[in-house]
Amino acid sequence: MQMTQRWIRWPAGTHNRTPTEGRNGPIAFGGDYNPEQWSEDVWQDDVRLMQEAGVNLVTVGVFSWARLQPTPDTWEFEWLDRVLDLLHEHGIAVDLATATASPPAWLTTAHPEMLPVDRLGTVLHQGGRQAWSPSSVVYREHSLRLVEKMAERYASHPALSMWHVSNELGCHNGRCYSELSAQGFRRWLRERYTDLDTFNRAWATDFWSQHYGTWEEIEPPRIAPSFSNPTQQLDFARFSSDALRDQLRAEVEVLRRHTPDVPITTNFMVMGHFKEVDYGTWVDDLDLVSNDHYMMAHDPEAHVELAFSADHTRGLAGGQPWMLLESSTSAVSWQPVNTAKPVSQLRRNSLTHVARGADAVCFFQWRASAAGAEKYHSAMLPHAGTDSELWRSVVELGADLQRLAEVSGSTVDSSVAIIVDYENWWAAELDAHPSSLLAYRRTAEGWYRSLWDANIPVDIVPRGADLTGYRVVLAPMLYLVRDADVAALDSFTRAGGQVLVTYFSGIADENDHIRLGGYPGAFRDLLGVRSDEFRPLLGEQQVALEGASLGALTGTLWSEPVVPTDAIVLATYTDGPSAGFAAITRAARGEGKAWYVSTELDAIGRRAVVDAVCAAAHVTAPIGATAGVEVVVRRSADVEYVFAINHTPQEGSVAAAGTDLLTGQVRPAPVLIPA
Ligand code: GAL
């Protein structure tokens, strides 16, 4: 990953600037602005209220295609000109969308073959949004025509501060099984494998009589009588991510031609449930990384998931600041029950993103829609208007962010990394595995949670990231590995690092073929252990583990009869299918150590192991705090910014002293943090 970051080009006269702001200028504050849903007199209110709230950046045009090009040969930009002029007059910078996210009805009517098709063969019609197949040439041509027009028209508009390609690429059309996609998939496969022999070997087509004699016989993994070929499924996930990236690249090419100096982003969806895109392979195409993050109301640990996603986004941004381009001020409108956030949570959530590297706090959306499928989604300005608790807290948040402006551009230092990789997420959760209960991200989040509890900063990094400088690397469920991945972890360990690998790691190569000779496959040598079979556990089944220093622990989901080759045993299974065998081990390698955990530990067990690994690496929390107070430190050349966020219903404290940027008070240690 070589992304070189370029930040928002703040126009002269941007609203809400302060003399103390940091490297990236003010912290961006705003949201998606959809003025086409309102009459022009409302726009006047909008800009006035944006100023009142301290808004300095809005995303415009995301779903404007049908308004901008009402028929194939007519263009209507004048309304958008007026929107941009108005925003600029009021000092609001514009993150201008390319408007390609949702094609107009005239286009899908003329070219129904461009519609996406799901795995069952159902066509996904016009009437919602994102009704396009990433493999459609017609869509590509029409969308690029629009991008050309947008870029030509607004290249020198003074409000233009950054480009926003499409919207959440892959959100609804991430996997398309149409005939056009089948053709695109075949082209992609030819490029990857060159000849049919190599291809047939990679897909192991001697199994179940799947041999392909011509490229034309190959299909996407459409619904089949039994499990589809796993390599077919994996390659289709790779192809689908690449097909969306091709659209991104095509739009970026147009934008760079017209406006080489304007930074380009596309809003990622780094959050718990979204795994359609391998973002690690996209970042080099962008100037800055941005994310949309929404919390799941039913998740009592949603604030930890938020921290995980923020650290993951920062990892994708190569440690540089990033933009939170969408989040919700309160309820969303797409969960079974859309609970409202207490206003204190709005502040906590937003400032947690900032603590973890966001130099922008933006929302979907500025003004709550009065109609349409998202009319019950919260916004910065709710249906109730300005006489509402939500509006008042949005205004307060804007003021908070202005007080924190000097933080922008500062970074978070971590000596612990967790490898989280989309290709592994896809592969580890394929069907016909030893257990369908394994969940890749949940396992990674579990380990993250232990570090979060200990307030140890973590970078969540994609595969292939440079591991130099870390002292601990966690590789949870790194199921599919290339030789280079194994070599990187090996050198990291030998050079003095502590590496922790969990069960179901190192099992397969990049074609999802088993690495033979015993488990954990590619990691046998590094970890100094071998198992001759998997012994997964049933849903409610628990196993007991006992270790001299780790004490009594509990495992679920997985066990293995682990036999150390030269590792020492830290805990042994005392019951269950692997009773008597090693469960947790550690091998000395060069200056470092390689730890193996062969079951899913509960929170207490994970914490015990994390503490032991961090102790071995001499990694501690940078600053002490009472339980439930989340502490993150951002650093600039000569200042440490300590964020302390209290998630408990009691007062807490952090062992830091300094100026409270939110109040201006100088505070001695420990600083009390209200409930
Ligand atoms: C995002 C999307 C927005 C809005 C939001 C609602 O997925 O980009 O347009 O739909 O969700 O939570």
Side-chain angles (χ1 to χ4, degrees):
M1 261 194 345
Q2 293 307 327
M3 189 190 147
T4 339
Q5 191 184 51
R6 284 194 293 154
W7 198 251
I8 306 169
R9 256 188 2 169
W10 292 108
T14 299
H15 177 62
N16 220 2
R17 302 208 67 152
T18 70
T20 55
E21 64 198 27
R23 172 164 59 89
N24 286 337
I27 293 180
F29 180 54
D32 279 29
Y33 180 39
N34 297 305
E36 61 269 51
Q37 296 175 16
W38 302 91
S39 60
E40 297 207 12
D41 52 315
V42 177
W43 303 357
Q44 299 295 333
D45 260 2
D46 285 332
V47 285
R48 181 177 56 78
L49 291 172
M50 283 176 191
Q51 286 199 328
E52 190 176 319
V55 164
N56 51 24
L57 179 84
V58 291
T59 300
V60 178
V62 171
F63 296 111
S64 301
W65 191 345
R67 276 288 290 264
L68 294 170
Q69 192 185 7
T71 71
D73 300 309
T74 49
W75 298 90
E76 287 182 8
F77 283 107
E78 296 70 21
W79 68 273
L80 187 55
D81 298 348
R82 292 198 293 283
V83 170
L84 263 57
D85 292 349
L86 185 66
L87 288 165
H88 186 61
E89 279 157 28
H90 289 79
I92 319 281
V94 171
D95 167 35
L96 187 57
T98 54
T100 55
S102 273
W106 57 256
L107 182 54
T108 50
T109 306
H111 294 283
E113 77 285 358
M114 67 173 266
L115 294 169
V117 172
D118 76 4
R119 195 173 181 204
L120 292 166
T122 308
V123 176
L124 308 179
H125 289 273
Q126 182 61 262
R129 63 177 178 185
Q130 273 181 326
W132 53 276
S133 164
S135 298
S136 161
V137 173
V138 166
Y139 168 79
R140 176 72 53 83
E141 284 170 3
H142 282 270
S143 61
L144 293 187
R145 213 172 141 216
L146 172 62
V147 181
E148 286 279 353
K149 291 272 185 197
M150 293 287 285
E152 270 165 22
R153 188 158 190 113
Y154 297 111
S156 50
H157 196 288
L160 176 68
S161 300
M162 56 186 283
W163 287 110
H164 179 289
V165 171
S166 191
N167 190 60
E168 291 187 343
L169 281 159
C171 177
H172 305 290
N173 57 355
R175 298 280 183 278
C176 169
Y177 297 78
S178 70
E179 200 36 49
L180 291 177
S181 294
Q183 290 162 14
F185 187 35
R186 288 175 201 129
R187 278 193 299 275
W188 184 92
L189 289 167
R190 284 179 94 134
E191 222 166 273
R192 183 176 174 91
Y193 296 108
T194 319
D195 63 82
L196 277 168
D197 284 346
T198 313
F199 161 79
N200 275 299
R201 270 198 305 279
W203 279 28
T205 54
D206 286 325
F207 185 81
W208 280 355
S209 183
Q210 290 174 348
H211 187 269
Y212 293 92
T214 69
W215 296 102
E216 288 63 41
E217 295 161 9
I218 305 167
E219 290 192 43
R222 294 178 171 132
I223 206 82
S226 178
F227 304 109
S228 294
N229 180 314
T231 319
Q232 179 187 20
Q233 296 189 57
L234 184 58
D235 272 349
F236 188 65
R238 290 172 172 142
F239 154 75
S240 300
S241 177
D242 287 359
L244 289 162
R245 189 185 57 190
D246 286 348
Q247 176 68 27
L248 168 68
R249 285 184 173 166
E251 295 197 27
V252 164
E253 187 279 320
V254 176
L255 299 173
R256 289 214 205 287
R257 206 161 12 84
H258 289 275
T259 54
D261 297 330
V262 179
I264 303 174
T265 195
T266 190
N267 45 345
F268 288 176
M269 297 175 70
V270 176
M271 58 184 122
H273 54 276
F274 186 80
K275 63 168 183 174
E276 308 292 81
V277 170
D278 184 355
Y279 288 128
T281 67
W282 285 28
V283 289
D284 289 344
D285 293 292
L286 300 169
D287 298 313
L288 56 87
V289 166
S290 62
N291 195 40
D292 294 354
H293 188 267
Y294 293 96
M295 299 169 87
M296 299 305 289
H298 63 258
D299 180 5
E301 303 282 277
H303 57 292
V304 183
E305 193 285 320
L306 181 154
F308 180 102
S309 294
D311 287 350
H312 193 184
T313 309
R314 191 182 67 248
L316 289 164
Q320 292 303 306
W322 50 277
M323 299 182 72
L324 177 68
L325 217 38
E326 281 186 36
S327 56
S328 69
T329 56
S330 187
V332 297
S333 55
W334 42 265
Q335 295 180 18
V337 177
N338 295 299
T339 57
K341 281 186 189 178
V343 289
S344 61
Q345 192 190 329
L346 165 63
R347 193 181 198 217
R348 256 185 300 144
N349 295 163
S350 301
L351 297 188
T352 305
H353 283 294
V354 176
R356 294 181 181 276
D359 279 355
V361 174
C362 299
F363 297 93
F364 176 83
Q365 58 179 330
W366 160 249
R367 181 187 280 275
S369 299
E374 295 189 312
K375 59 181 171 295
Y376 295 116
H377 198 290
S378 62
M380 300 175 83
L381 181 58
H383 291 153
T386 53
D387 186 10
S388 59
E389 196 189 24
L390 184 55
W391 171 255
R392 286 186 284 276
S393 14
V394 164
V395 174
E396 277 163 29
L397 179 62
D400 280 346
L401 294 174
Q402 198 186 21
R403 294 182 195 110
L404 296 181
E406 65 170 90
V407 169
S408 93
S410 61
T411 52
V412 178
D413 293 341
S414 314
S415 38
V416 179
I418 304 183
I419 300 173
V420 171
D421 170 43
Y422 286 90
E423 201 177 50
N424 265 283
W425 193 352
W426 301 331
E429 293 183 358
L430 284 172
D431 47 15
H433 272 196
S435 170
S436 61
L437 303 179
L438 306 190
Y440 178 75
R441 205 191 199 246
R442 190 184 58 209
T443 293
E445 269 176 44
W447 288 99
Y448 178 84
R449 166 82 211 215
S450 306
L451 291 152
W452 185 93
D453 278 334
N455 274 323
I456 291 178
V458 180
D459 285 345
I460 298 181
V461 298
R463 68 170 179 275
D466 182 4
L467 301 176
T468 322
Y470 293 113
R471 283 189 272 164
V472 175
V473 171
L474 269 56
M477 216 182 278
L478 201 62
Y479 163 81
L480 175 158
V481 283
R482 293 166 172 80
D483 292 345
D485 303 328
V486 183
L489 283 177
D490 192 77
S491 335
F492 168 78
T493 315
R494 287 179 192 282
Q498 305 289 320
V499 69
L500 181 146
V501 176
T502 80
Y503 67 95
F504 214 41
S505 291
I507 303 303
D509 67 13
E510 72 172 296
N511 294 324
D512 197 26
H513 295 195
I514 299 291
R515 291 175 172 270
L516 301 174
Y519 311 123
F523 289 125
R524 280 195 311 267
D525 288 347
L526 173 61
L527 299 169
V529 296
R530 181 174 181 276
S531 321
D532 58 11
E533 70 175 357
F534 300 135
R535 295 181 183 165
L537 307 175
L538 295 168
E540 300 304 308
Q541 199 177 355
Q542 295 192 339
V543 289
L545 284 61
E546 185 65 48
S549 58
L550 293 172
L553 308 174
T554 305
T556 54
L557 293 178
W558 198 264
S559 81
E560 282 171 32
V562 176
V563 176
T565 44
D566 69 344
I568 62 160
V569 178
L570 300 178
T572 304
Y573 291 106
T574 57
D575 66 10
S578 304
F581 286 95
I584 303 175
T585 61
R586 189 182 65 212
R589 293 289 177 263
E591 303 295 303
K593 300 213 162 59
W595 306 61
Y596 184 53
V597 177
S598 68
T599 184
E600 180 76 21
L601 294 173
D602 64 9
I604 297 169
R606 272 194 305 262
R607 182 64 195 269
V609 172
V610 159
D611 284 352
V613 173
C614 288
H618 308 291
V619 169
T620 51
I623 295 176
T626 50
V629 173
E630 176 180 3
V631 180
V632 192
V633 181
R634 286 183 69 164
R635 289 194 169 78
S636 65
D638 46 9
V639 188
E640 277 193 350
Y641 299 103
V642 180
F643 288 75
I645 300 138
N646 187 355
H647 294 278
T648 74
Q650 300 91 35
E651 186 175 72
S653 68
V654 60
T659 306
D660 181 340
L661 287 182
L662 295 176
T663 62
Q665 286 172 319
V666 178
R667 313 265 293 264
V671 173
L672 300 180
I673 319 291

